[in-house]
Coordinates of all heavy atoms in Angstrom, one line a residue:
G10 N 6.9 33.0 -12.7 CA 6.3 31.7 -12.6 C 6.0 31.3 -11.2 O 5.5 32.0 -10.4
K11 N 6.5 30.0 -10.8 CA 6.3 29.6 -9.5 C 7.5 30.2 -8.6 O 8.6 30.2 -9.0 CB 6.4 28.1 -9.4 CG 5.3 27.3 -10.0 CD 5.4 25.9 -9.7 CE 6.4 25.2 -10.6 NZ 6.4 23.7 -10.4
V12 N 7.1 30.9 -7.6 CA 8.1 31.5 -6.7 C 8.7 30.4 -5.8 O 7.9 29.9 -4.9 CB 7.5 32.7 -5.9 CG1 8.5 33.2 -4.9 CG2 7.0 33.8 -6.8
E13 N 10.0 30.1 -5.9 CA 10.6 29.0 -5.2 C 11.9 29.4 -4.6 O 12.8 28.5 -4.4 CB 10.7 27.8 -6.1 CG 9.3 27.3 -6.6 CD 9.5 26.1 -7.6 OE1 10.3 26.3 -8.5 OE2 8.8 25.1 -7.4
K14 N 12.2 30.7 -4.4 CA 13.4 31.1 -3.9 C 14.6 30.7 -4.8 O 15.6 30.3 -4.3 CB 13.7 30.6 -2.5 CG 12.8 31.3 -1.4 CD 13.2 31.0 0.0 CE 12.3 31.8 1.0 NZ 12.7 31.6 2.4
G15 N 14.4 30.8 -6.1 CA 15.4 30.5 -7.1 C 16.1 31.7 -7.6 O 16.0 32.8 -7.1
G16 N 16.9 31.5 -8.6 CA 17.8 32.6 -9.2 C 17.0 33.7 -9.8 O 17.3 34.9 -9.7
V17 N 15.9 33.3 -10.6 CA 15.1 34.4 -11.2 C 14.5 35.3 -10.2 O 14.5 36.5 -10.3 CB 14.1 33.7 -12.2 CG1 13.2 34.8 -12.7 CG2 14.7 32.9 -13.3
E18 N 13.9 34.6 -9.2 CA 13.3 35.4 -8.1 C 14.3 36.4 -7.5 O 14.0 37.6 -7.2 CB 12.7 34.5 -7.0 CG 11.5 33.7 -7.5 CD 12.0 32.3 -8.0 OE1 13.0 32.2 -8.6 OE2 11.3 31.3 -7.7
S19 N 15.4 35.9 -7.2 CA 16.5 36.7 -6.6 C 16.8 37.9 -7.4 O 17.0 39.0 -7.0 CB 17.7 35.8 -6.3 OG 18.8 36.6 -5.7
M20 N 17.0 37.6 -8.7 CA 17.3 38.7 -9.7 C 16.2 39.7 -9.7 O 16.5 40.9 -9.6 CB 17.6 38.1 -11.1 CG 18.1 39.1 -12.1 SD 16.8 40.1 -12.9 CE 15.9 38.9 -13.7
V21 N 15.0 39.3 -9.9 CA 13.9 40.2 -10.0 C 13.8 41.1 -8.7 O 13.6 42.3 -8.8 CB 12.5 39.5 -10.2 CG1 11.3 40.4 -10.1 CG2 12.5 38.9 -11.6
F22 N 13.9 40.5 -7.6 CA 13.7 41.2 -6.3 C 14.9 42.2 -6.1 O 14.7 43.3 -5.5 CB 13.6 40.3 -5.1 CG 12.3 39.4 -5.2 CD1 12.3 38.2 -4.6 CD2 11.2 39.9 -5.9 CE1 11.1 37.4 -4.7 CE2 10.0 39.1 -6.0 CZ 10.0 37.8 -5.4
S23 N 16.1 41.8 -6.6 CA 17.3 42.6 -6.4 C 17.1 43.9 -7.2 O 17.3 45.0 -6.8 CB 18.5 41.9 -6.9 OG 18.9 40.9 -5.9
Y24 N 16.7 43.7 -8.5 CA 16.4 44.9 -9.4 C 15.3 45.8 -8.8 O 15.4 47.0 -8.8 CB 16.1 44.5 -10.8 CG 17.4 44.3 -11.7 CD1 18.0 43.1 -11.9 CD2 17.9 45.4 -12.3 CE1 19.1 42.9 -12.7 CE2 19.1 45.3 -13.1 CZ 19.6 44.1 -13.3 OH 20.8 43.9 -14.1
Y25 N 14.2 45.1 -8.4 CA 13.1 45.9 -7.9 C 13.5 46.7 -6.7 O 13.2 47.9 -6.5 CB 11.9 45.0 -7.5 CG 10.8 45.8 -6.8 CD1 10.0 46.7 -7.5 CD2 10.6 45.7 -5.5 CE1 9.1 47.5 -6.9 CE2 9.7 46.4 -4.8 CZ 8.9 47.3 -5.5 OH 7.9 48.1 -4.9
T26 N 14.2 46.1 -5.8 CA 14.7 46.8 -4.5 C 15.5 48.0 -4.9 O 15.4 49.1 -4.2 CB 15.5 45.9 -3.6 OG1 14.7 44.7 -3.3 CG2 16.0 46.6 -2.4
A27 N 16.3 48.0 -5.9 CA 17.2 49.1 -6.3 C 16.5 50.1 -7.2 O 17.0 51.2 -7.3 CB 18.4 48.5 -7.0
L28 N 15.4 49.8 -7.8 CA 14.7 50.7 -8.7 C 14.3 52.0 -8.0 O 14.0 52.0 -6.8 CB 13.4 50.1 -9.2 CG 13.4 49.2 -10.5 CD1 12.0 48.7 -10.8 CD2 13.9 50.1 -11.7
D29 N 14.3 53.1 -8.7 CA 13.8 54.4 -8.2 C 12.3 54.3 -8.2 O 11.6 54.3 -9.2 CB 14.3 55.5 -9.2 CG 13.8 56.9 -8.7 OD1 13.0 56.9 -7.8 OD2 14.4 57.9 -9.2
K30 N 11.7 54.1 -7.0 CA 10.3 53.9 -6.9 C 9.4 55.2 -7.2 O 8.2 55.1 -7.4 CB 9.9 53.5 -5.4 CG 10.7 52.3 -4.9 CD 10.6 51.1 -5.7 CE 11.3 49.9 -5.1 NZ 12.7 50.1 -4.8
S31 N 10.1 56.3 -7.3 CA 9.4 57.5 -7.7 C 9.1 57.5 -9.2 O 8.2 58.2 -9.7 CB 10.1 58.8 -7.4 OG 11.3 58.9 -8.1
K32 N 9.8 56.6 -10.0 CA 9.7 56.5 -11.4 C 8.9 55.2 -11.8 O 8.1 55.2 -12.7 CB 11.0 56.5 -12.1 CG 11.8 57.8 -11.9 CD 13.1 57.7 -12.6 CE 13.9 59.0 -12.4 NZ 15.3 58.9 -13.1
F33 N 9.3 54.1 -11.1 CA 8.7 52.8 -11.5 C 8.3 52.0 -10.3 O 9.0 51.9 -9.3 CB 9.8 52.0 -12.3 CG 10.3 52.7 -13.5 CD1 11.6 53.3 -13.5 CD2 9.6 52.9 -14.7 CE1 12.1 54.0 -14.6 CE2 10.0 53.6 -15.8 CZ 11.3 54.1 -15.7
Q34 N 7.2 51.3 -10.5 CA 6.7 50.3 -9.5 C 6.3 49.0 -10.2 O 6.0 49.0 -11.4 CB 5.5 50.9 -8.7 CG 5.8 51.6 -7.5 CD 6.4 50.7 -6.3 OE1 6.5 49.5 -6.5 NE2 6.7 51.3 -5.2
Y35 N 6.4 47.9 -9.4 CA 6.0 46.6 -10.0 C 4.7 46.1 -9.4 O 4.4 46.3 -8.2 CB 7.1 45.6 -9.6 CG 8.3 45.5 -10.5 CD1 9.3 44.6 -10.3 CD2 8.4 46.3 -11.7 CE1 10.4 44.5 -11.1 CE2 9.5 46.2 -12.5 CZ 10.5 45.3 -12.2 OH 11.6 45.2 -13.0
D36 N 3.9 45.6 -10.3 CA 2.8 44.7 -9.9 C 3.3 43.3 -10.3 O 3.6 43.1 -11.5 CB 1.5 45.1 -10.6 CG 0.9 46.3 -10.0 OD1 1.4 46.8 -9.0 OD2 0.0 46.9 -10.6
I37 N 3.3 42.4 -9.4 CA 4.0 41.1 -9.6 C 2.9 40.0 -9.7 O 2.1 39.8 -8.8 CB 5.0 40.7 -8.5 CG1 6.0 41.8 -8.5 CG2 5.6 39.4 -8.8 CD1 7.0 41.7 -7.3
V38 N 2.9 39.2 -10.8 CA 2.0 38.1 -11.0 C 2.9 36.8 -10.8 O 4.0 36.7 -11.4 CB 1.4 38.1 -12.4 CG1 0.7 36.8 -12.7 CG2 0.5 39.3 -12.6
Y39 N 2.3 35.9 -10.0 CA 3.0 34.6 -9.8 C 2.0 33.5 -9.6 O 0.8 33.7 -9.4 CB 4.0 34.7 -8.6 CG 3.4 34.9 -7.3 CD1 3.5 33.9 -6.3 CD2 2.7 36.0 -6.9 CE1 2.9 34.0 -5.0 CE2 2.1 36.2 -5.7 CZ 2.3 35.2 -4.7 OH 1.7 35.4 -3.5
E40 N 2.4 32.2 -9.8 CA 1.5 31.1 -9.8 C 1.1 30.6 -8.5 O 1.9 30.7 -7.5 CB 2.2 30.0 -10.6 CG 2.4 30.3 -12.1 CD 3.0 29.1 -12.8 OE1 2.6 27.9 -12.5 OE2 3.9 29.3 -13.7
D41 N -0.1 30.0 -8.4 CA -0.6 29.6 -7.1 C 0.1 28.3 -6.7 O -0.1 27.8 -5.5 CB -2.1 29.3 -7.2 CG -2.6 28.3 -8.2 OD1 -1.7 27.7 -8.9 OD2 -3.8 28.2 -8.4
K42 N 0.9 27.7 -7.5 CA 1.7 26.5 -7.1 C 3.0 26.9 -6.5 O 3.9 26.0 -6.2 CB 1.9 25.6 -8.3 CG 0.7 24.8 -8.8 CD 1.0 23.8 -9.8 CE -0.2 22.9 -10.2 NZ 0.1 21.9 -11.3
S43 N 3.2 28.2 -6.3 CA 4.5 28.6 -5.7 C 4.6 28.1 -4.3 O 3.6 27.9 -3.5 CB 4.5 30.2 -5.6 OG 4.4 30.8 -6.9
T44 N 5.9 27.8 -3.9 CA 6.1 27.3 -2.5 C 6.3 28.4 -1.6 O 6.4 28.2 -0.4 CB 7.3 26.4 -2.5 OG1 8.4 27.0 -3.2 CG2 7.0 25.1 -3.3
Y45 N 6.5 29.6 -2.1 CA 6.6 30.8 -1.3 C 5.8 32.0 -1.8 O 5.5 32.0 -3.0 CB 8.1 31.3 -1.2 CG 9.0 30.2 -0.5 CD1 9.6 29.3 -1.3 CD2 9.2 30.2 0.9 CE1 10.4 28.3 -0.7 CE2 10.0 29.3 1.5 CZ 10.6 28.3 0.7 OH 11.3 27.3 1.3
D46 N 5.5 32.9 -1.0 CA 4.8 34.1 -1.4 C 5.8 35.2 -1.7 O 7.0 35.1 -1.3 CB 3.8 34.6 -0.4 CG 2.6 33.7 -0.4 OD1 2.1 33.3 -1.5 OD2 2.0 33.4 0.7
I47 N 5.4 36.3 -2.3 CA 6.3 37.5 -2.5 C 6.7 38.0 -1.1 O 5.9 38.2 -0.2 CB 5.6 38.6 -3.3 CG1 5.0 38.0 -4.6 CG2 6.5 39.7 -3.6 CD1 6.0 37.4 -5.5
P48 N 8.0 38.2 -0.9 CA 8.5 38.7 0.4 C 7.8 39.9 0.9 O 7.5 40.8 0.1 CB 10.0 38.9 0.2 CG 10.3 38.0 -1.0 CD 9.1 38.0 -1.9
G49 N 7.6 40.0 2.2 CA 6.9 41.1 2.8 C 7.6 42.5 2.5 O 6.9 43.5 2.3
E50 N 8.9 42.4 2.5 CA 9.6 43.7 2.3 C 9.4 44.2 0.9 O 9.5 45.5 0.7 CB 11.1 43.5 2.6 CG 11.8 42.5 1.7 CD 11.9 41.1 2.4 OE1 11.0 40.8 3.2 OE2 12.9 40.4 2.1
I51 N 9.2 43.4 -0.1 CA 8.9 43.8 -1.4 C 7.5 44.5 -1.5 O 7.4 45.6 -2.1 CB 8.9 42.6 -2.4 CG1 10.3 41.9 -2.4 CG2 8.4 43.0 -3.8 CD1 11.4 42.8 -2.9
I52 N 6.5 44.0 -0.8 CA 5.2 44.6 -0.7 C 5.3 45.9 0.0 O 4.7 46.9 -0.4 CB 4.2 43.7 0.0 CG1 4.2 42.3 -0.7 CG2 2.8 44.3 0.1 CD1 3.8 42.4 -2.2
E53 N 6.1 46.0 1.1 CA 6.2 47.2 1.8 C 6.8 48.3 1.0 O 6.6 49.5 1.3 CB 7.1 47.0 3.1 CG 6.4 46.1 4.1 CD 7.4 45.7 5.2 OE1 8.5 46.1 5.2 OE2 6.9 44.9 6.1
M54 N 7.6 48.0 0.0 CA 8.2 49.0 -0.9 C 7.2 49.5 -1.9 O 7.5 50.4 -2.7 CB 9.4 48.4 -1.6 CG 10.6 48.1 -0.8 SD 11.9 47.4 -1.7 CE 12.9 46.7 -0.4
G55 N 6.0 48.9 -2.0 CA 5.0 49.5 -2.9 C 4.5 48.5 -4.0 O 3.6 48.8 -4.7
A56 N 5.2 47.4 -4.1 CA 4.8 46.4 -5.1 C 3.4 45.8 -4.7 O 3.1 45.7 -3.5 CB 5.8 45.3 -5.2
R57 N 2.7 45.4 -5.7 CA 1.4 44.7 -5.5 C 1.6 43.3 -6.1 O 2.3 43.1 -7.1 CB 0.3 45.4 -6.2 CG 0.0 46.8 -5.6 CD -1.3 47.4 -6.1 NE -1.2 47.7 -7.5 CZ -1.7 48.8 -8.1 NH1 -2.2 49.8 -7.4 NH2 -1.6 49.0 -9.4
A58 N 1.0 42.3 -5.4 CA 1.2 40.9 -5.8 C -0.1 40.2 -6.2 O -1.2 40.4 -5.5 CB 1.8 40.1 -4.7
F59 N -0.1 39.5 -7.3 CA -1.3 38.8 -7.7 C -1.0 37.3 -7.9 O -0.1 37.0 -8.8 CB -1.8 39.3 -9.1 CG -2.2 40.8 -9.0 CD1 -1.3 41.8 -9.4 CD2 -3.4 41.2 -8.5 CE1 -1.5 43.1 -9.4 CE2 -3.7 42.6 -8.5 CZ -2.8 43.5 -8.9
K60 N -1.6 36.4 -7.2 CA -1.4 35.0 -7.3 C -2.5 34.4 -8.2 O -3.7 34.6 -7.8 CB -1.4 34.3 -5.9 CG -1.0 32.8 -6.0 CD -1.2 32.1 -4.6 CE -0.1 32.5 -3.7 NZ -0.1 31.7 -2.5
I61 N -2.1 33.8 -9.3 CA -3.1 33.3 -10.2 C -2.9 31.8 -10.5 O -1.9 31.2 -10.1 CB -3.2 34.1 -11.5 CG1 -1.9 33.9 -12.3 CG2 -3.4 35.6 -11.2 CD1 -2.0 34.5 -13.7
T62 N -3.8 31.2 -11.2 CA -3.8 29.8 -11.6 C -2.5 29.5 -12.3 O -1.9 30.3 -13.1 CB -5.0 29.5 -12.6 OG1 -6.2 29.7 -11.8 CG2 -4.9 28.0 -13.0
S63 N -2.0 28.3 -12.1 CA -0.7 27.8 -12.6 C -0.8 27.7 -14.2 O -1.9 27.5 -14.7 CB -0.4 26.4 -12.1 OG 0.6 25.8 -12.9
M64 N 0.3 27.9 -14.8 CA 0.4 27.7 -16.3 C 0.1 26.3 -16.8 O -0.2 26.1 -17.9 CB 1.8 28.1 -16.8 CG 2.1 29.5 -16.7 SD 3.7 29.8 -17.5 CE 3.9 31.6 -17.2
S65 N 0.0 25.4 -15.8 CA -0.4 24.0 -16.2 C -1.8 24.0 -16.6 O -2.3 23.0 -17.2 CB -0.1 23.0 -15.1 OG -0.8 23.4 -13.9
H66 N -2.6 25.0 -16.3 CA -4.0 25.2 -16.8 C -4.0 26.5 -17.7 O -4.4 27.5 -17.2 CB -4.9 25.4 -15.6 CG -4.8 24.2 -14.6 ND1 -5.4 23.0 -14.9 CD2 -4.2 24.1 -13.4 CE1 -5.2 22.2 -13.9 NE2 -4.4 22.8 -13.0
P67 N -3.5 26.4 -18.9 CA -3.2 27.5 -19.7 C -4.4 28.4 -20.0 O -4.3 29.7 -20.0 CB -2.7 26.9 -21.1 CG -3.1 25.5 -21.0 CD -3.1 25.1 -19.6
L68 N -5.6 27.9 -20.3 CA -6.8 28.7 -20.6 C -7.2 29.6 -19.3 O -7.4 30.8 -19.5 CB -7.9 27.9 -21.1 CG -7.7 27.2 -22.4 CD1 -8.9 26.4 -22.8 CD2 -7.4 28.2 -23.5
A69 N -7.2 28.9 -18.2 CA -7.5 29.6 -16.9 C -6.5 30.7 -16.6 O -6.8 31.8 -16.2 CB -7.7 28.7 -15.8
Y70 N -5.2 30.3 -16.9 CA -4.1 31.2 -16.6 C -4.2 32.5 -17.5 O -4.2 33.6 -17.0 CB -2.8 30.6 -16.9 CG -1.6 31.4 -16.7 CD1 -0.9 31.6 -15.5 CD2 -1.1 32.2 -17.8 CE1 0.2 32.4 -15.4 CE2 0.0 33.0 -17.7 CZ 0.7 33.1 -16.4 OH 1.8 34.0 -16.3
I71 N -4.4 32.3 -18.8 CA -4.6 33.4 -19.7 C -5.8 34.3 -19.3 O -5.7 35.5 -19.3 CB -4.7 32.9 -21.1 CG1 -3.3 32.4 -21.6 CG2 -5.1 34.1 -22.1 CD1 -3.3 31.7 -22.9
S72 N -6.9 33.6 -19.0 CA -8.1 34.4 -18.6 C -7.9 35.3 -17.4 O -8.3 36.4 -17.4 CB -9.2 33.4 -18.4 OG -10.4 34.1 -18.0
E73 N -7.3 34.7 -16.4 CA -7.0 35.5 -15.1 C -6.1 36.6 -15.4 O -6.2 37.7 -14.8 CB -6.5 34.5 -14.0 CG -7.6 33.6 -13.5 CD -7.1 32.7 -12.4 OE1 -6.3 33.2 -11.6 OE2 -7.5 31.5 -12.3
L74 N -5.0 36.3 -16.1 CA -4.0 37.4 -16.4 C -4.6 38.5 -17.2 O -4.4 39.7 -17.0 CB -2.8 36.8 -17.1 CG -1.6 37.7 -17.3 CD1 -1.2 38.4 -16.0 CD2 -0.5 37.0 -18.0
R75 N -5.5 38.1 -18.2 CA -6.2 39.2 -19.0 C -7.0 40.1 -18.1 O -7.0 41.3 -18.3 CB -7.1 38.5 -20.0 CG -6.3 38.1 -21.3 CD -7.3 37.3 -22.2 NE -8.5 38.0 -22.5 CZ -8.7 38.9 -23.4 NH1 -7.7 39.3 -24.2 NH2 -9.9 39.5 -23.6
G76 N -7.6 39.5 -17.1 CA -8.4 40.3 -16.1 C -7.5 41.3 -15.4 O -7.9 42.5 -15.2
I77 N -6.4 40.9 -15.0 CA -5.4 41.8 -14.2 C -4.9 42.9 -15.2 O -4.9 44.0 -14.8 CB -4.3 41.0 -13.7 CG1 -4.7 40.0 -12.6 CG2 -3.2 41.9 -13.2 CD1 -3.7 39.0 -12.1
I78 N -4.6 42.5 -16.4 CA -4.1 43.5 -17.4 C -5.1 44.5 -17.7 O -4.8 45.7 -17.7 CB -3.6 42.7 -18.7 CG1 -2.4 41.9 -18.4 CG2 -3.3 43.8 -19.8 CD1 -2.0 40.9 -19.6
K79 N -6.4 44.1 -17.9 CA -7.4 45.1 -18.3 C -7.7 46.0 -17.1 O -7.8 47.2 -17.3 CB -8.7 44.3 -18.6 CG -8.6 43.6 -20.0 CD -9.9 42.9 -20.2 CE -9.9 42.2 -21.6 NZ -11.2 41.4 -21.8
K80 N -7.7 45.5 -15.9 CA -7.9 46.4 -14.7 C -6.8 47.4 -14.5 O -7.0 48.5 -14.1 CB -8.1 45.5 -13.5 CG -8.5 46.3 -12.3 CD -8.9 45.4 -11.1 CE -9.3 46.1 -9.9 NZ -9.7 45.3 -8.8

Side-chain angles (χ1 to χ4, degrees):
K11 292 187 287 186
V12 175
E13 299 176 310
K14 289 192 175 180
V17 175
E18 293 92 322
S19 178
M20 186 279 296
V21 170
F22 297 152
S23 289
Y24 270 97
Y25 172 72
T26 300
L28 270 177
D29 183 342
K30 308 301 186 303
S31 68
K32 296 179 181 177
F33 305 105
Q34 269 290 359
Y35 276 179
D36 286 351
I37 302 172
V38 172
Y39 66 116
E40 296 183 36
D41 60 5
K42 286 188 177 180
S43 298
T44 52
Y45 295 91
D46 285 320
I47 305 302
E50 59 266 28
I51 298 298
I52 304 302
E53 290 170 7
M54 292 178 195
R57 295 187 297 222
F59 302 97
K60 185 186 286 189
I61 68 172
T62 297
S63 165
M64 287 187 183
S65 58
H66 304 283
L68 295 180
Y70 177 89
I71 290 173
S72 176
E73 289 181 36
L74 185 54
R75 277 174 51 86
I77 293 169
I78 292 171
K79 288 179 179 178
K80 188 173 181 179

